[in-house]
Amino acid sequence: MATDFADPFDALFNLQRAVDSRIASDWLQDQTAAQGPFPPINVFQQGEDILAIIELPGVDKNDLQIQAKENTIRISGKKGAKLPEDVSIHRRERVFGEFDRTLSLPVQIDPDGIKAEYRDGILALFLPRAERDKPRTIKING
Amino acid sequence: MASTQDLQAQKKREVESKEEATIPARVFLPNADIYETPTELNVVLEMPGIEKSKVDIRVENDVLHVEGRIDLSKYTGLHPLYAEYNVGHYARSFQLSSKIDQNKIAAEMNEGVLSLTLPKIEEAKPRTIQIR
């Protein structure tokens, strides 16, 4: 089940293929019914825990809020435009504005164990699965 | 101002090149803002996930090439469950007008955003002409 990225040469290709096959999967169900909500999110499984990797280039860490409640994560903030005055604009492809997105995960997470890291324009949310939600191996007696 | 608009995620555009790559990895176009002041041209490129040390900036024959390579090690042992964007290297090139002083191009990288400052050469700066 787990995709193995051990070979560095094929690693990126395998990741891209795996990501492609997961695009528009129903893991977050109706949470993402709207097309193209911002910011875009990739969700990975890391052992028993969940890792959400969010692309948010050019956001000030102080303008970013993350709230967690039970199995819901809310990511909100603003991406401010810092174009100087009195310039002529040749190309404008980047988007700016406020965003507010809530994810409901289909697994229970431990809200106290959530860790967030923002580096190089990527927000990584480490979401530990709640102990009570983890699958248990049942011994068969007899 | 655009601050009240609803933000939408942009679909990543892939680099379309005449040559085919020999490695199977995919390369995407970073979103760009380009603006001009009286003294310089500014190019701002969004390359989330790219470390400063993995960015390569070259100027060849008046063409500015920018390349960013992602660090895959962060994805080791991860199994994708759900995805909205693809991950890959970034590359983009711009044809420069010759009025750029190519030796004085400066670059800065913050939060996955690369800002390039391309100063104009003296002759290209606008001058106010006084009428006597």
Side-chain angles (χ1 to χ4, degrees):
Chain A
M1 168 90 168
T3 313
D4 188 16
F5 299 138
D7 181 358
F9 194 75
D10 285 336
L12 181 57
F13 182 57
N14 287 338
L15 172 69
Q16 289 172 333
R17 232 181 7 199
V19 161
D20 267 346
S21 72
R22 285 291 152 192
I23 284 179
S25 79
D26 57 358
W27 199 73
L28 289 179
Q29 295 136 18
D30 52 340
Q31 293 306 308
T32 51
Q35 272 296 301
F38 187 91
I41 294 175
N42 280 353
V43 183
F44 294 90
Q45 187 183 336
Q46 185 180 40
E48 286 183 318
D49 303 317
I50 306 293
L51 190 69
I53 303 181
I54 299 146
E55 275 195 342
L56 263 177
V59 174
D60 192 319
K61 212 185 272 186
N62 300 319
D63 289 337
L64 199 54
Q65 283 95 40
I66 298 150
Q67 290 170 314
K69 196 183 155 196
E70 287 160 21
N71 62 338
T72 325
I73 316 282
R74 182 176 173 202
I75 302 152
S76 60
K78 69 167 194 281
K79 188 175 165 188
K82 278 176 270 178
L83 271 192
E85 301 280 306
D86 195 29
V87 294
S88 65
I89 293 165
H90 295 206
R91 222 177 245 272
R92 185 131 204 212
E93 296 169 0
R94 302 173 63 206
V95 292
F96 299 96
E98 290 180 14
F99 53 87
D100 192 337
R101 194 168 176 194
T102 304
L103 298 179
S104 288
L105 301 174
V107 294
Q108 292 295 317
I109 49 171
D110 171 15
D112 298 322
I114 296 176
K115 284 191 280 258
E117 189 187 273
Y118 183 65
R119 199 172 1 155
D120 297 326
I122 296 276
L123 174 67
L125 288 179
F126 174 74
L127 309 165
R129 199 160 168 185
E131 276 305 322
R132 61 178 192 282
D133 193 48
K134 285 182 184 169
R136 256 159 283 249
T137 308
I138 316 292
K139 262 214 182 105
I140 302 168
N141 296 319
Chain B
M1 279 310 295
S3 61
T4 50
Q5 84 186 35
D6 250 359
L7 272 184
Q8 290 287 303
Q10 294 159 291
K11 195 177 184 310
K12 276 194 189 175
R13 291 176 294 161
E14 264 192 89
V15 170
E16 286 172 34
S17 148
K18 285 189 204 99
E19 303 89 21
E20 279 182 64
T22 54
I23 50 164
R26 285 154 69 180
V27 182
F28 296 93
L29 280 174
N31 287 327
D33 276 358
I34 302 179
Y35 56 91
E36 191 177 337
T37 71
T39 56
E40 60 199 32
L41 187 72
N42 290 275
V43 178
V44 184
L45 297 162
E46 285 187 341
M47 299 196 284
I50 307 292
E51 285 171 38
K52 205 184 279 186
S53 59
K54 297 280 171 63
V55 178
D56 182 32
I57 305 158
R58 283 175 295 129
V59 179
E60 263 173 13
N61 303 325
D62 293 331
V63 179
L64 170 73
H65 299 278
V66 179
E67 246 183 80
R69 307 192 72 78
I70 65 149
D71 177 11
L72 261 186
S73 60
K74 288 172 188 144
Y75 287 92
T76 314
L78 299 184
H79 170 68
L81 294 171
Y82 170 83
E84 291 177 351
Y85 65 90
N86 211 320
V87 179
H89 303 305
Y90 288 99
R92 199 155 178 182
S93 303
F94 293 101
Q95 178 82 50
L96 297 178
S97 74
S98 53
K99 49 182 190 169
I100 298 295
D101 188 342
Q102 300 195 358
N103 296 318
K104 289 191 184 150
I105 296 175
E108 203 187 310
M109 186 108 184
N110 287 310
E111 278 109 29
V113 179
L114 176 71
S115 304
L116 294 169
T117 309
L118 302 99
K120 294 180 193 172
I121 53 171
E122 281 301 318
E123 299 91 271
K125 287 179 188 167
R127 253 163 293 231
T128 313
I129 287 114
Q130 292 287 331
I131 305 168
R132 290 166 195 271

